[in-house]
Every structure is written in structure tokens, then in C-alpha cells.
Amino acid sequence: AVARWKPLRHAYEKEIVLYAHFQGLDYFSTECSYAPHAYRGHLRSLLKDLEATRATTVAALGHSSRSLAIKAQVATKKLGAC
């Protein structure tokens, strides 16, 4: 197994697959048998639809998520008893 490298998070999966193909590297993709029923499938199809409309949507979401900050009062708030 190859360890993940953070700078690759900016690369599209298509680019990684093409790189592996042209370098002669073994690449396989298998889907979990439970994946069709998972909620993340709905999100994945939404992202694909957005990306079909505008190719940079997924990259823009990734970049904007890093600018989100959690306020200290929310992060340190103690939960009370029910």
C-alpha cells in the first residue's frame, strides 16, 4: 500500500489514474457492496452534477473548506445533563 500524501488532495482522481496508467503502475478501483445504499452516494452524485456544470466546483469547495473556522466558544462548550 502507498501512504497518502497531502499535496495529492489537490489532484483530481482522473489525473491520478492517468498518471498511474502512463507510468505502468497497477491501479484498481473497487466499490464497497454497501455503497449504492449509502447516503454519501447522494452527495457524490450531487458533486458530479455540480462539476458537470462547472469543472472547478470540487476544487473550489476543497479550498473554501480550509478557510472555515470554529469559534473557540463552540469548540470548548461543555455539554449539560439531559
Side-chain angles (χ1 to χ4, degrees):
V2 176
R4 292 186 180 197
W5 189 40
K6 282 193 175 192
L8 290 179
R9 70 180 175 194
H10 298 295
Y12 290 102
E13 185 177 2
K14 295 175 194 174
E15 294 171 348
I16 296 170
V17 172
L18 284 172
Y19 176 80
H21 173 74
F22 287 115
Q23 294 296 319
L25 302 172
D26 290 334
Y27 177 82
F28 66 94
S29 176
T30 57
E31 187 175 45
C32 174
S33 59
Y34 299 108
H37 307 292
Y39 183 72
R40 67 185 292 168
H42 299 292
L43 298 175
R44 183 180 294 121
S45 63
L46 172 67
L47 286 175
K48 286 183 180 182
D49 291 343
L50 289 172
E51 194 169 24
T53 304
R54 184 174 173 201
T56 59
T57 301
V58 175
L61 285 171
H63 290 298
S64 66
S65 68
R66 286 188 295 282
S67 65
L68 296 175
I70 298 174
K71 293 184 179 180
Q73 62 192 17
V74 174
T76 59
K77 188 174 181 179
K78 301 288 183 194
L79 297 177
C82 294

